[in-house]
Amino acid sequence: MRILQKGFNYSQDGPGNRLIYHLQGCNFKCKWCSNPESMPLFSDKAEDIPNDDVVKEIERSRMMFFDGGGVTFTGGEPTLQPDDLIYVLKKAQALGVNTAIENNGSSPRLCEISDYVDYMIIDIKQPNDDIHKKYVAHSNKMTIENLIKLSKKRNQLHIRIPLINHVNTDPEPFAELFKKMDMANTVVEILAYHEFGKCKWTEEYQITDGFVTDEQIKAFKNRLKEDGIQFITT
């Protein structure tokens, strides 16, 4: 398993106190990414760790998984290492550890991976595929397909929307997407645009007016609440 960094975090990437693994490599190239160093599939900053060593570390950390915590794999994009991910998730579940992944929903194997995930987090940047390609350099079609399937398959789904001025502040495309999903066991979280990772970009940073106002966030949420969408904050 190719790991860029790891550490503990409380409640931000799944419930309770969690051991977070940031895996190296991402197939999306979001222009606002706060971890651009995680995009390349290979990096001198990342370390290849045997899967069984990762499992042993998870087992050693069990005493830290309080308040319903566990292990979370994020990125980069963790589903780019599907076989390694499934292996470790299976082993963690066998140990009784709560498992979570945060991902972009683009893996054709996500429904398979989902069987070993207790807490699923999927980001959706923009439901319109043309706009998505413009800002992410990748189609969103598989993400949307997976969102629809998993909303009907799982009893838990956590959707994150990074809200960015001029990119996705119109709630209507999201409302149309959510109408195709089973939202009964799904929650939505809004992540307001920030520039915490801007200093890490070696290429030109192209988002020049991405900050959203409290009024924009409120209007976005209020429109979706009309359709019964449940929001959370972590």
Side-chain angles (χ1 to χ4, degrees):
M1 183 170 276
R2 195 173 308 113
I3 297 172
L4 175 62
Q5 59 186 17
K6 61 187 177 182
F8 282 90
N9 206 344
Y10 186 85
S11 80
Q12 290 187 348
D13 296 291
N17 199 49
R18 309 193 71 84
L19 175 58
I20 314 294
Y21 289 98
H22 291 260
L23 304 193
Q24 182 68 35
C26 188
N27 55 333
F28 282 12
K29 308 301 176 188
C30 304
K31 294 183 182 297
W32 55 85
C33 182
S34 58
N35 296 300
E37 71 278 17
S38 71
M39 289 183 182
L41 290 177
F42 299 93
S43 169
D44 292 339
K45 297 179 181 179
E47 183 179 2
D48 284 309
I49 301 177
N51 292 337
D52 286 329
D53 287 356
V54 177
V55 173
K56 290 176 184 176
E57 183 171 47
I58 293 169
E59 186 172 20
R60 290 196 304 270
S61 303
R62 290 172 67 175
M63 68 181 67
M64 296 295 293
F65 299 153
F66 51 84
D67 293 344
V71 61
T72 298
F73 294 92
T74 182
E77 175 50 45
T79 63
L80 291 187
Q81 302 180 47
D83 293 327
D84 296 328
L85 184 62
I86 288 173
Y87 180 90
V88 175
L89 288 171
K90 277 185 179 181
K91 293 286 187 179
Q93 281 194 334
L95 292 169
V97 173
N98 182 277
T99 60
I101 65 170
E102 180 183 12
N103 71 107
N104 62 29
S106 67
S107 173
R109 296 180 64 182
L110 188 57
C111 287
E112 175 190 358
I113 294 168
S114 169
D115 291 340
Y116 310 103
V117 175
D118 297 308
Y119 197 89
M120 174 73 73
I121 306 171
I122 300 179
D123 297 348
I124 175 68
K125 281 73 171 175
Q126 167 58 259
N128 181 289
D129 196 35
D130 290 335
I131 300 175
H132 193 273
K133 289 176 182 176
K134 177 180 177 181
Y135 288 100
V136 180
H138 197 286
S139 173
N140 67 9
K141 290 183 179 179
M142 183 58 70
T143 298
I144 288 176
E145 181 179 325
N146 280 328
L147 281 170
I148 294 171
K149 286 181 179 178
L150 290 175
S151 72
K152 298 174 181 179
K153 175 183 178 181
R154 295 182 57 84
N155 60 12
Q156 172 281 325
L157 184 60
H158 180 161
I159 295 174
R160 281 181 168 164
I161 302 172
L163 205 62
I164 301 152
N165 195 34
H166 305 302
V167 176
N168 63 356
T169 52
D170 180 3
E172 293 305 325
F174 292 94
E176 291 303 312
L177 169 60
F178 295 155
K179 286 175 183 177
K180 300 174 184 177
M181 298 170 58
D182 184 346
M183 300 298 288
N185 296 309
T186 299
V187 295
V188 176
E189 181 177 18
I190 302 300
L191 303 178
Y193 171 80
H194 60 75
E195 294 184 344
F196 297 154
K198 183 178 180 178
C199 62
K200 296 190 286 184
W201 278 75
T202 56
E203 303 172 18
E204 181 184 359
Y205 189 82
Q206 297 182 25
I207 301 296
T208 59
D209 184 25
F211 289 103
V212 290
T213 65
D214 291 342
E215 290 74 18
Q216 284 176 300
I217 296 172
K218 182 178 180 181
F220 189 93
K221 285 185 173 182
N222 285 344
R223 167 60 189 90
L224 294 177
K225 285 179 180 178
E226 293 175 6
D227 292 344
I229 303 303
Q230 304 173 68
F231 285 91
I232 64 166
T233 301
T234 63

